[in-house]
Amino acid sequence: MTVRTTEQDDKKNPHINITKSSEQEPLLNEERRRRRMMMDRQEEEEDEEETVCGVMEDIMCVDEQTVQRLTDGFLSHYLPEMSSSKQTLQELTQNQVILLDTLEQEVTKFRECNAMIDLNALFTEAKVYHSKLVNIRKEMIVLHDKTTRLKKRALKLQQHKQKEDLEREQQREKELERERRLIAKPAKRSDAEPH
């Protein structure tokens, strides 16, 4: 395919005025550019069609038996490796399932251990509180004994004080009685005595 120049276009087209004005020149340039672009597009499309047709012709030339032999050869070469790979993958999958089960059991054991640690902490705390209760009980027994002794002492002191008060009272009464006896009594006058 050939590209026409602008001079050739001018010579072949008698309708174009040879004397160009400056106003018509941009219009003509635009027209020429459009023609060139259209021609370039047509060339590209033809090149693409030729390439596609060439590939299609190559494919059409191979017969079915050759395709089958190539396919069988490809499969016979790669299929054993694929089968062994498949078996290896199945073994890996089974091993992963076993590993996941084992890990889950271990996680359960760790949770139980943590629960046991919590129980141990609770038992330790219970022992501490039990010892505190025992100490409080001992202190209460000691306090009870002290209060019982203090009550007895207070009762004894009270009895002693009452006894002392009673003895004092009796002593006072004796002294009053003695004073009464010591006070001189006027002698009684007898009726016979003159004054």
Side-chain angles (χ1 to χ4, degrees):
M1 188 175 237
T2 58
V3 178
R4 291 190 249 168
T5 60
T6 55
E7 293 175 6
Q8 290 173 346
D9 289 344
D10 290 343
K11 290 179 185 174
K12 290 182 180 179
N13 195 347
H15 300 291
I16 295 177
N17 190 359
I18 294 179
T19 57
K20 299 176 187 173
S21 67
S22 61
E23 292 176 4
Q24 290 178 346
E25 193 171 311
L27 292 175
L28 289 175
N29 286 338
E30 183 68 29
E31 183 66 30
R32 287 180 193 145
R33 197 168 39 136
R34 281 188 202 157
R35 284 183 194 164
R36 276 190 215 134
M37 287 176 59
M38 294 205 34
M39 292 170 74
D40 289 342
R41 281 187 197 152
Q42 285 175 355
E43 283 179 6
E44 287 175 7
E45 288 175 3
E46 287 174 4
D47 289 342
E48 285 178 15
E49 285 177 13
E50 287 175 7
T51 305
V52 170
C53 289
V55 170
M56 292 300 284
E57 286 175 3
D58 290 342
I59 292 174
M60 297 291 185
C61 293
V62 179
D63 62 0
E64 290 292 321
Q65 191 176 13
T66 307
V67 170
Q68 187 61 38
R69 284 182 186 164
L70 286 171
T71 304
D72 291 341
F74 180 81
L75 288 176
S76 66
H77 181 69
Y78 288 107
L79 196 58
E81 290 179 20
M82 293 289 207
S83 297
S84 65
S85 296
K86 182 179 178 182
Q87 186 176 1
T88 306
L89 283 174
Q90 286 175 344
E91 289 175 7
L92 281 173
T93 304
Q94 289 173 351
N95 289 340
Q96 282 180 341
V97 168
I98 292 169
L99 183 63
L100 286 174
D101 289 341
T102 307
L103 282 175
E104 193 171 322
Q105 290 172 0
E106 292 298 319
V107 167
T108 305
K109 287 179 184 177
F110 279 122
R111 286 184 183 151
E112 289 173 359
C113 286
N114 285 338
M116 290 298 289
I117 290 171
D118 292 343
L119 284 176
N120 288 337
L122 285 175
F123 280 123
T124 306
E125 196 172 343
K127 285 180 184 178
V128 169
Y129 286 124
H130 181 264
S131 64
K132 285 182 179 181
L133 283 174
V134 168
N135 289 338
I136 289 172
R137 185 176 178 194
K138 286 179 183 177
E139 288 176 10
M140 287 178 70
I141 290 172
V142 168
L143 288 174
H144 181 271
D145 289 343
K146 284 183 179 180
T147 54
T148 305
R149 277 188 258 135
L150 285 173
K151 283 181 183 177
K152 285 180 183 177
R153 187 172 175 200
L155 184 63
K156 283 182 183 178
L157 286 173
Q158 187 179 5
Q159 287 174 351
H160 185 66
K161 187 175 180 182
Q162 285 176 351
K163 188 177 178 183
E164 284 181 355
D165 287 345
L166 184 63
E167 286 176 359
R168 250 189 254 130
E169 192 64 36
Q170 287 176 352
Q171 185 69 25
R172 196 177 296 147
E173 283 181 14
K174 282 181 186 178
E175 286 179 12
L176 284 174
E177 186 64 35
R178 198 173 109 208
E179 280 181 20
R180 265 190 273 147
R181 282 188 203 156
L182 288 177
I183 294 179
K185 290 184 184 175
K188 286 188 180 180
R189 287 188 208 179
S190 52
D191 289 332
E193 274 186 34
H195 254 235

